[in-house]
Amino acid sequence: MSETRQINVSKTSVPKLALLALGIIFAAGLFVVGFDQGHIFSLVYGEQAFTDLYIHELTHDMRHAAGFPCH
Amino acid sequence: MKTFLFIIIVLISGAFAGFVHGTVNFAIVEPYLDQAIGIENQNLFATGEEEDTPEFWVEYEGYRTWQKGGQILAGVILGVSVGSLFGIVFALSRNSLPGSNDVKKSLVLAGIMWLTLYFIPFLKYPANPPTVGDTETVVLRAILYLTFIAISGFGAVGFYQLSKKLQNNKKLLALLGYGVFISAVFLAMPENPDEITAPMNLVNEFRIMSVLGVTSFWISVGIILGLLWNRLLTKQETPQSYS
Protein backbone atom coordinates (compact mmCIF):
# COMPACT_ATOMS: atom_id res chain seq x y z
CA MET A 1 0.00 0.00 0.00
CA SER A 2 1.46 3.28 -1.03
CA GLU A 3 1.43 6.38 1.13
CA THR A 4 1.35 9.85 -0.25
CA ARG A 5 3.60 12.36 1.45
CA GLN A 6 3.29 15.94 0.47
CA ILE A 7 5.46 18.71 1.80
CA ASN A 8 4.44 22.29 1.23
CA VAL A 9 7.47 24.41 1.91
CA SER A 10 6.85 27.94 3.09
CA LYS A 11 7.52 30.14 0.09
CA THR A 12 9.10 33.31 1.33
CA SER A 13 11.55 33.93 -1.48
CA VAL A 14 11.76 37.58 -2.39
CA PRO A 15 11.07 38.49 -6.02
CA LYS A 16 14.32 39.60 -7.66
CA LEU A 17 12.48 42.02 -9.93
CA ALA A 18 11.12 43.84 -6.87
CA LEU A 19 14.59 44.06 -5.32
CA LEU A 20 15.96 45.51 -8.55
CA ALA A 21 13.16 48.09 -8.81
CA LEU A 22 13.59 49.13 -5.17
CA GLY A 23 17.36 49.30 -5.60
CA ILE A 24 16.96 51.71 -8.51
CA ILE A 25 14.48 53.84 -6.53
CA PHE A 26 16.91 53.91 -3.59
CA ALA A 27 19.82 55.13 -5.75
CA ALA A 28 17.73 57.67 -7.67
CA GLY A 29 16.13 59.17 -4.54
CA LEU A 30 19.45 59.38 -2.73
CA PHE A 31 20.96 61.20 -5.71
CA VAL A 32 18.09 63.70 -5.87
CA VAL A 33 18.20 64.64 -2.18
CA GLY A 34 21.85 64.08 -1.32
CA PHE A 35 23.89 65.05 -4.36
CA ASP A 36 22.21 66.75 -7.28
CA GLN A 37 23.88 70.05 -8.13
CA GLY A 38 21.94 70.56 -11.35
CA HIS A 39 22.88 67.23 -12.94
CA ILE A 40 19.32 65.98 -13.45
CA PHE A 41 17.84 69.14 -14.99
CA SER A 42 20.99 69.58 -17.09
CA LEU A 43 19.77 66.66 -19.20
CA VAL A 44 17.01 68.99 -20.42
CA TYR A 45 18.22 72.55 -19.80
CA GLY A 46 21.94 72.09 -20.34
CA GLU A 47 24.54 74.21 -18.52
CA GLN A 48 21.94 76.64 -17.14
CA ALA A 49 20.73 73.93 -14.75
CA PHE A 50 24.06 74.04 -12.88
CA THR A 51 23.42 77.73 -12.20
CA ASP A 52 19.73 77.50 -11.30
CA LEU A 53 20.16 74.51 -8.95
CA TYR A 54 16.39 74.02 -8.64
CA ILE A 55 16.51 70.54 -7.11
CA HIS A 56 19.37 71.54 -4.81
CA GLU A 57 17.35 74.50 -3.51
CA LEU A 58 14.21 72.37 -3.16
CA THR A 59 16.02 69.72 -1.13
CA HIS A 60 18.42 72.16 0.58
CA ASP A 61 16.88 72.14 4.04
CA MET A 62 16.40 68.37 4.12
CA ARG A 63 19.94 67.90 2.85
CA HIS A 64 21.33 69.81 5.84
CA ALA A 65 18.89 68.27 8.32
CA ALA A 66 19.50 64.68 7.19
CA GLY A 67 23.25 65.11 7.53
CA PHE A 68 24.28 65.26 3.86
CA PRO A 69 27.14 67.60 3.00
CA CYS A 70 26.03 70.94 1.62
CA HIS A 71 27.60 74.32 1.06
CA MET B 1 5.08 36.79 -2.45
CA LYS B 2 3.28 39.13 -4.79
CA THR B 3 5.87 41.40 -6.38
CA PHE B 4 3.60 44.38 -6.95
CA LEU B 5 2.09 44.35 -3.45
CA PHE B 6 5.55 44.06 -1.90
CA ILE B 7 6.82 47.09 -3.82
CA ILE B 8 3.72 49.16 -3.01
CA ILE B 9 3.95 48.39 0.72
CA VAL B 10 7.62 49.36 0.82
CA LEU B 11 7.05 52.60 -1.11
CA ILE B 12 4.04 53.63 0.99
CA SER B 13 5.85 53.01 4.28
CA GLY B 14 8.89 54.96 3.04
CA ALA B 15 6.74 57.87 1.82
CA PHE B 16 4.79 58.13 5.09
CA ALA B 17 7.92 57.88 7.22
CA GLY B 18 9.56 60.51 4.99
CA PHE B 19 6.54 62.76 5.46
CA VAL B 20 6.90 62.38 9.23
CA HIS B 21 10.62 63.18 8.93
CA GLY B 22 9.95 66.29 6.83
CA THR B 23 7.22 67.48 9.18
CA VAL B 24 9.35 66.96 12.30
CA ASN B 25 12.21 68.83 10.63
CA PHE B 26 9.85 71.61 9.63
CA ALA B 27 8.89 72.04 13.28
CA ILE B 28 12.23 71.63 15.05
CA VAL B 29 15.08 72.13 12.54
CA GLU B 30 13.84 75.13 10.53
CA PRO B 31 14.41 77.71 13.32
CA TYR B 32 18.10 76.71 13.40
CA LEU B 33 18.37 76.84 9.62
CA ASP B 34 16.90 80.36 9.69
CA GLN B 35 19.40 81.44 12.36
CA ALA B 36 22.31 79.95 10.42
CA ILE B 37 21.25 81.53 7.12
CA GLY B 38 20.82 84.82 9.01
CA ILE B 39 24.53 84.63 9.92
CA GLU B 40 25.37 83.84 6.28
CA ASN B 41 23.47 86.96 5.20
CA GLN B 42 25.28 89.15 7.73
CA ASN B 43 28.58 87.80 6.39
CA LEU B 44 27.49 88.63 2.83
CA PHE B 45 26.67 92.21 3.88
CA ALA B 46 29.91 92.54 5.85
CA THR B 47 32.07 91.44 2.93
CA GLY B 48 30.14 93.56 0.43
CA GLU B 49 29.05 90.57 -1.67
CA GLU B 50 25.41 91.62 -1.17
CA GLU B 51 23.71 94.84 -0.16
CA ASP B 52 21.11 95.03 2.61
CA THR B 53 18.31 96.27 0.36
CA PRO B 54 14.55 95.54 0.17
CA GLU B 55 15.20 93.78 -3.16
CA PHE B 56 17.62 91.40 -1.44
CA TRP B 57 15.04 90.49 1.20
CA VAL B 58 12.28 89.94 -1.40
CA GLU B 59 14.53 87.52 -3.27
CA TYR B 60 15.63 85.92 0.01
CA GLU B 61 12.07 85.34 1.21
CA GLY B 62 11.22 83.86 -2.19
CA TYR B 63 13.84 81.16 -2.13
CA ARG B 64 13.46 80.46 1.60
CA THR B 65 9.76 79.77 1.01
CA TRP B 66 10.75 77.38 -1.79
CA GLN B 67 13.31 75.68 0.46
CA LYS B 68 10.98 75.38 3.46
CA GLY B 69 8.17 73.93 1.38
CA GLY B 70 10.73 71.61 -0.19
CA GLN B 71 11.57 70.21 3.26
CA ILE B 72 8.38 68.13 3.25
CA LEU B 73 8.61 67.06 -0.41
CA ALA B 74 12.30 66.21 -0.04
CA GLY B 75 11.39 64.24 3.08
CA VAL B 76 8.98 62.13 1.04
CA ILE B 77 11.56 61.60 -1.75
CA LEU B 78 14.29 60.66 0.74
CA GLY B 79 11.81 58.50 2.66
CA VAL B 80 10.83 56.54 -0.45
CA SER B 81 14.52 56.13 -1.28
CA VAL B 82 15.84 55.00 2.11
CA GLY B 83 12.57 53.13 2.73
CA SER B 84 13.29 51.11 -0.43
CA LEU B 85 16.65 50.04 0.98
CA PHE B 86 14.93 49.22 4.27
CA GLY B 87 12.33 47.13 2.43
CA ILE B 88 15.04 45.20 0.55
CA VAL B 89 16.97 44.41 3.73
CA PHE B 90 13.81 43.54 5.67
CA ALA B 91 12.58 41.16 2.97
CA LEU B 92 15.95 39.40 2.90
CA SER B 93 16.52 39.25 6.66
CA ARG B 94 12.98 38.92 8.09
CA ASN B 95 13.28 35.21 8.86
CA SER B 96 16.46 35.77 10.88
CA LEU B 97 15.37 38.86 12.81
CA PRO B 98 14.43 38.53 16.48
CA GLY B 99 10.89 39.46 17.54
CA SER B 100 7.56 37.70 17.83
CA ASN B 101 5.80 39.69 15.12
CA ASP B 102 6.55 41.74 12.02
CA VAL B 103 6.40 45.10 13.80
CA LYS B 104 8.97 44.03 16.39
CA LYS B 105 11.20 42.49 13.72
CA SER B 106 10.90 45.60 11.58
CA LEU B 107 11.72 47.90 14.51
CA VAL B 108 14.77 45.79 15.40
CA LEU B 109 16.05 46.12 11.83
CA ALA B 110 15.26 49.86 11.79
CA GLY B 111 17.34 50.22 14.97
CA ILE B 112 20.25 48.31 13.46
CA MET B 113 20.15 50.35 10.25
CA TRP B 114 19.76 53.64 12.18
CA LEU B 115 22.90 52.75 14.15
CA THR B 116 25.08 51.45 11.33
CA LEU B 117 23.94 53.65 8.43
CA TYR B 118 23.17 56.86 10.29
CA PHE B 119 24.36 57.27 13.84
CA ILE B 120 27.90 55.86 13.64
CA PRO B 121 28.63 57.80 10.40
CA PHE B 122 27.04 60.86 12.07
CA LEU B 123 29.53 60.64 14.96
CA LYS B 124 32.38 60.88 12.44
CA TYR B 125 30.76 63.36 10.05
CA PRO B 126 28.01 65.16 12.00
CA ALA B 127 25.37 67.22 10.22
CA ASN B 128 26.16 70.91 9.85
CA PRO B 129 23.87 73.90 9.45
CA PRO B 130 24.35 76.43 6.65
CA THR B 131 27.37 78.79 7.21
CA VAL B 132 29.44 75.67 7.94
CA GLY B 133 30.80 74.07 4.81
CA ASP B 134 32.92 75.31 1.95
CA THR B 135 31.37 74.98 -1.53
CA GLU B 136 34.78 73.92 -2.83
CA THR B 137 34.85 70.81 -0.63
CA VAL B 138 31.24 69.64 -1.03
CA VAL B 139 32.09 66.79 -3.44
CA LEU B 140 34.96 65.56 -1.23
CA ARG B 141 32.75 65.68 1.86
CA ALA B 142 29.94 63.83 0.07
CA ILE B 143 32.37 61.10 -1.02
CA LEU B 144 33.81 60.74 2.51
CA TYR B 145 30.36 60.59 4.12
CA LEU B 146 28.92 58.09 1.66
CA THR B 147 32.06 55.95 1.77
CA PHE B 148 31.81 55.72 5.55
CA ILE B 149 28.12 54.77 5.34
CA ALA B 150 28.84 52.12 2.70
CA ILE B 151 31.77 50.64 4.67
CA SER B 152 29.66 50.54 7.83
CA GLY B 153 26.66 48.99 6.06
CA PHE B 154 28.60 46.35 4.14
CA GLY B 155 30.73 45.72 7.25
CA ALA B 156 27.58 45.03 9.28
CA VAL B 157 26.30 42.63 6.60
CA GLY B 158 29.68 40.89 6.47
CA PHE B 159 29.90 40.36 10.23
CA TYR B 160 26.26 39.22 10.26
CA GLN B 161 27.12 36.54 7.67
CA LEU B 162 30.08 35.56 9.85
CA SER B 163 27.82 35.29 12.91
CA LYS B 164 25.63 32.75 11.10
CA LYS B 165 28.66 30.47 10.73
CA LEU B 166 29.57 30.69 14.41
CA GLN B 167 28.13 28.57 17.21
CA ASN B 168 25.52 30.08 19.53
CA ASN B 169 27.87 31.12 22.31
CA LYS B 170 30.36 32.60 19.85
CA LYS B 171 27.90 34.75 17.92
CA LEU B 172 28.75 37.77 20.06
CA LEU B 173 32.25 37.65 18.59
CA ALA B 174 30.82 38.90 15.30
CA LEU B 175 29.29 41.89 17.06
CA LEU B 176 32.61 42.58 18.75
CA GLY B 177 34.31 42.16 15.37
CA TYR B 178 32.08 44.83 13.83
CA GLY B 179 32.87 47.12 16.78
CA VAL B 180 36.62 46.74 16.31
CA PHE B 181 36.33 47.03 12.51
CA ILE B 182 34.23 50.20 12.53
CA SER B 183 36.41 51.78 15.25
CA ALA B 184 39.46 51.23 13.02
CA VAL B 185 37.63 52.75 10.03
CA PHE B 186 36.50 55.63 12.26
CA LEU B 187 40.09 56.46 13.13
CA ALA B 188 41.47 55.86 9.63
CA MET B 189 39.01 58.02 7.69
CA PRO B 190 40.03 61.68 7.19
CA GLU B 191 38.35 64.41 9.19
CA ASN B 192 35.82 66.82 7.69
CA PRO B 193 38.14 69.42 6.12
CA ASP B 194 35.88 72.42 6.82
CA GLU B 195 36.49 74.75 9.71
CA ILE B 196 33.50 75.65 11.89
CA THR B 197 33.23 79.40 12.36
CA ALA B 198 29.55 79.49 13.41
CA PRO B 199 28.68 79.62 17.15
CA MET B 200 29.13 76.12 18.59
CA ASN B 201 25.88 76.21 20.57
CA LEU B 202 23.95 76.82 17.34
CA VAL B 203 25.83 73.98 15.60
CA ASN B 204 25.31 71.55 18.51
CA GLU B 205 21.61 72.32 18.93
CA PHE B 206 21.12 71.95 15.18
CA ARG B 207 22.84 68.54 15.32
CA ILE B 208 20.60 67.34 18.15
CA MET B 209 17.49 68.38 16.19
CA SER B 210 18.89 66.67 13.10
CA VAL B 211 19.33 63.40 15.03
CA LEU B 212 15.77 63.64 16.39
CA GLY B 213 14.42 64.21 12.87
CA VAL B 214 16.26 61.27 11.30
CA THR B 215 15.35 59.07 14.27
CA SER B 216 11.66 59.91 13.74
CA PHE B 217 12.05 58.53 10.21
CA TRP B 218 13.55 55.20 11.29
CA ILE B 219 10.98 54.65 14.04
CA SER B 220 8.14 55.51 11.62
CA VAL B 221 9.39 53.34 8.78
CA GLY B 222 9.89 50.42 11.19
CA ILE B 223 6.37 50.64 12.58
CA ILE B 224 4.58 51.32 9.26
CA LEU B 225 6.37 48.64 7.21
CA GLY B 226 5.92 46.11 10.03
CA LEU B 227 2.19 46.82 10.29
CA LEU B 228 1.57 46.74 6.52
CA TRP B 229 3.67 43.60 6.12
CA ASN B 230 1.83 41.86 8.92
CA ARG B 231 -1.56 42.78 7.52
CA LEU B 232 -1.00 42.30 3.80
CA LEU B 233 1.93 39.99 3.16
CA THR B 234 2.15 37.48 6.00
CA LYS B 235 -1.23 35.89 5.24
CA GLN B 236 -0.15 34.92 1.75
CA GLU B 237 2.59 32.63 2.92
CA THR B 238 1.75 28.94 2.75
CA PRO B 239 2.42 27.41 6.14
CA GLN B 240 4.51 24.28 6.34
CA SER B 241 2.34 21.18 6.50
CA TYR B 242 3.01 17.49 6.41
CA SER B 243 0.53 14.81 5.55
Side-chain angles (χ1 to χ4, degrees):
Chain A
M1 193 172 158
S2 69
E3 184 187 353
T4 308
R5 282 181 70 85
Q6 185 188 345
I7 299 174
N8 294 324
V9 177
S10 170
K11 186 166 168 46
T12 55
S13 66
V14 186
K16 287 197 171 54
L17 186 66
L19 297 185
L20 179 68
L22 291 174
I24 292 170
I25 292 168
F26 164 63
L30 199 64
F31 189 86
V32 167
V33 179
F35 303 100
D36 183 78
Q37 299 279 24
H39 301 87
I40 294 172
F41 274 18
S42 73
L43 299 174
V44 182
Y45 297 114
E47 287 297 313
Q48 184 61 30
F50 293 105
T51 310
D52 293 336
L53 294 178
Y54 284 127
I55 294 181
H56 175 98
E57 296 300 345
L58 184 74
T59 61
H60 172 271
D61 287 14
M62 176 52 83
R63 198 180 282 215
H64 276 285
F68 292 106
C70 205
H71 58 78
Chain B
M1 185 191 286
K2 284 186 179 169
T3 306
F4 185 69
L5 188 59
F6 166 57
I7 292 176
I8 291 296
I9 286 172
V10 169
L11 296 184
I12 287 176
S13 54
F16 267 101
F19 181 76
V20 170
H21 185 189
T23 308
V24 169
N25 281 351
F26 195 79
I28 65 172
V29 182
E30 283 298 344
Y32 293 94
L33 289 168
D34 280 334
Q35 272 186 52
I37 295 171
I39 295 173
E40 271 187 330
N41 287 341
Q42 292 307 318
N43 290 341
L44 288 175
F45 299 148
T47 56
E49 278 184 72
E50 293 284 350
E51 283 185 40
D52 188 354
T53 60
E55 290 77 22
F56 171 85
W57 290 106
V58 167
E59 193 184 337
Y60 170 77
E61 291 298 336
Y63 83 74
R64 280 303 289 148
T65 304
W66 172 250
Q67 288 178 335
K68 285 183 181 181
Q71 175 83 268
I72 308 283
L73 178 60
V76 173
I77 298 171
L78 185 64
V80 168
S81 167
V82 180
S84 294
L85 179 68
F86 182 64
I88 292 171
V89 181
F90 185 68
L92 294 175
S93 65
R94 179 172 160 267
N95 291 336
S96 316
L97 286 167
S100 53
N101 61 50
D102 286 311
V103 177
K104 286 179 188 165
K105 283 171 183 281
S106 181
L107 274 171
V108 167
L109 180 65
I112 294 169
M113 289 177 73
W114 172 87
L115 183 70
T116 54
L117 299 183
Y118 173 67
F119 196 65
I120 292 172
F122 173 90
L123 294 176
K124 177 73 182 182
Y125 301 113
N128 281 318
T131 85
V132 179
D134 184 352
T135 310
E136 299 295 315
T137 63
V138 67
V139 173
L140 170 67
R141 284 181 286 128
I143 291 171
L144 288 176
Y145 186 53
L146 247 217
T147 304
F148 195 114
I149 292 172
I151 291 173
S152 178
F154 284 116
V157 172
F159 280 99
Y160 166 69
Q161 297 291 348
L162 185 69
S163 80
K164 288 205 292 192
K165 296 199 172 87
L166 294 171
Q167 300 294 327
N168 268 339
N169 57 351
K170 289 185 180 168
K171 281 192 187 301
L172 274 179
L173 278 179
L175 195 63
L176 188 68
Y178 171 76
V180 172
F181 167 74
I182 205 64
S183 301
V185 175
F186 198 98
L187 294 174
M189 291 279 288
E191 296 296 323
N192 184 331
D194 292 353
E195 188 188 349
I196 295 176
T197 53
M200 267 327 280
N201 62 335
L202 169 66
V203 173
N204 287 332
E205 286 171 23
F206 169 82
R207 287 173 177 172
I208 292 168
M209 295 306 157
S210 163
V211 171
L212 292 178
V214 175
T215 305
S216 77
F217 167 79
W218 284 106
I219 292 173
S220 306
V221 82
I223 293 173
I224 299 169
L225 185 69
L227 283 173
L228 290 176
W229 194 290
N230 191 43
R231 179 150 298 198
L232 298 169
L233 279 177
T234 309
K235 287 171 190 158
Q236 293 177 3
E237 289 171 12
T238 315
Q240 276 196 339
S241 63
Y242 301 91
S243 62

